[in-house]
Amino acid sequence: MVSLSLGDTCLFRVGGTRRGDPTRASRLASGDALVLGGAARLAFHGVDRIMPGTSTLLPEGGRINLTLRRVTRPA
């Protein structure tokens, strides 16, 4: 999975394969790309919060995320 962030910075959190697993947070700014491959693709992940006013890309603020995934037939 490839995720491209555009607009306001966000706090992105990645955990393990179970909801109660410990998490790690990273800031994703406009133009940042994140790649989750292998076992990490199955990890719980998502945006924890958006930091308003951290980008001028979108006139009214906010954030756009483009996520690309390759889907194949199960083996």
Side-chain angles (χ1 to χ4, degrees):
M1 177 196 82
V2 176
S3 177
L4 178 62
S5 293
L6 301 170
D8 286 336
T9 297
C10 75
L11 187 62
F12 186 82
R13 198 169 287 278
V14 179
T17 56
R18 293 175 299 175
R19 277 206 187 271
D21 288 345
T23 63
R24 172 178 270 172
S26 300
R27 287 180 188 244
L28 297 179
S30 190
D32 284 349
L34 174 76
V35 178
L36 294 177
R41 291 179 311 110
L42 302 176
F44 282 95
H45 60 277
V47 171
D48 193 8
R49 70 180 55 107
I50 297 172
M51 295 153 200
T54 52
S55 173
T56 57
L57 181 67
L58 301 171
E60 294 185 17
R63 182 174 178 280
I64 296 173
N65 173 262
L66 302 171
T67 301
L68 307 164
R69 297 170 196 231
R70 181 177 179 204
V71 179
T72 59
R73 184 183 312 212

